[in-house]
Amino acid sequence: MKKIMFNDALGLTAAVLSGRKTMTRRVVSFSENDAAIYSNLTDAEREAMLPVIIDRYSRYQVGERVAIAQAYKDVFLPGFFEHLPKSAINNKMFVKAEFMPNKIDITDIQIQRLQDISEDDCLKEGIQELAPCSECGSPMYYFSDFNDGWWFFDPREAFEGLMYRLFHRDLWKENPWVFVYTFKLVK
């Protein structure tokens, strides 16, 4: 079984575990040649190539069950893994998928440009909506703790802000091809 990691600091693991986040995007690691070819295809040709690209480049497949990586300290009773080094207990990079209690099933995979995300898909990515602003009447959107100051008047802007916080670079402006993984939480 494979594992998948979501950012804890920005609340994405919690969003998955609550059932609020049901979609994630991961950059397609095309070879340079394949990226150029794929970019020059028509939409119909890209649709026809989707199974080949998924088979060649996707880490996950439709129907696959994937463990949600969490630090051992977050999912087991204290002392359960005391024989392991502290770095292994506190860091979810080192966990074994088979020990993870929470899982997702991949239900769909698509490929699109990062900026092609819809407002509805932003909400499936874990962006949250607040009641309308009392001063302006517009709803506000945020991606982690509302009090952290990262709130927006548009879900796409909130998602762009999330990409900036996750990658600390201008990934949004680069607009790479991404796998769009839709999943459901397994209880």
Side-chain angles (χ1 to χ4, degrees):
M1 177 180 296
K2 297 173 189 163
K3 65 183 176 185
I4 188 167
M5 288 193 274
F6 298 98
N7 187 292
D8 292 339
L10 296 177
L12 298 180
T13 303
V16 172
L17 296 175
S18 73
R20 192 178 75 246
K21 181 173 174 63
T22 60
M23 187 176 275
T24 191
R25 282 160 171 70
R26 307 294 164 117
V27 174
V28 179
S29 298
F30 277 124
S31 69
E32 194 172 311
N33 189 44
D34 284 354
I37 292 169
Y38 192 77
S39 294
N40 289 317
L41 296 175
T42 66
D43 288 344
E45 291 170 330
R46 279 193 205 106
E47 186 66 30
M49 287 295 298
L50 185 62
V52 173
I53 300 301
I54 289 172
D55 185 55
R56 183 175 293 167
Y57 291 105
S58 176
R59 178 159 167 76
Y60 311 106
Q61 301 296 317
V62 171
E64 187 172 16
R65 183 160 288 175
V66 182
I68 301 168
Q70 295 175 267
Y72 288 131
K73 70 176 179 58
D74 294 337
V75 294
F76 292 105
L77 295 172
F80 192 78
F81 283 102
E82 277 188 0
H83 63 283
L84 295 175
K86 267 203 185 308
S87 61
I89 296 169
N90 296 323
N91 188 333
K92 64 184 180 179
M93 291 269 296
F94 301 111
V95 301
K96 294 208 177 275
E98 57 267 21
F99 295 146
M100 295 294 98
N102 298 299
K103 297 171 180 59
I104 58 172
D105 285 339
I106 305 295
T107 58
D108 189 44
I109 303 173
Q110 296 297 318
I111 297 175
Q112 66 179 198
R113 291 283 192 178
L114 182 61
Q115 291 181 19
D116 290 343
I117 188 169
S118 69
E119 288 189 2
D120 285 342
D121 284 354
C122 289
L123 300 176
K124 293 175 185 173
E125 282 275 3
I127 300 298
Q128 298 178 73
E129 182 177 355
L130 286 174
C133 169
S134 60
E135 295 177 18
C136 66
S138 296
M140 296 188 303
Y141 300 87
Y142 65 104
F143 54 79
S144 112
D145 179 7
F146 175 70
N147 296 319
D148 70 3
W150 287 82
W151 50 272
F152 305 85
F153 291 107
D154 178 272
R156 287 182 40 118
E157 289 176 358
F159 184 75
E160 179 182 352
L162 175 62
M163 292 297 97
Y164 178 79
R165 290 283 300 270
L166 281 171
F167 296 102
H168 301 289
R169 59 186 174 120
D170 231 342
L171 190 70
W172 183 259
K173 287 184 180 170
E174 292 172 13
N175 198 22
W177 291 103
V178 292
F179 284 115
V180 181
Y181 295 104
T182 304
F183 58 84
K184 65 178 183 178
L185 181 64
V186 178
K187 297 256 180 188

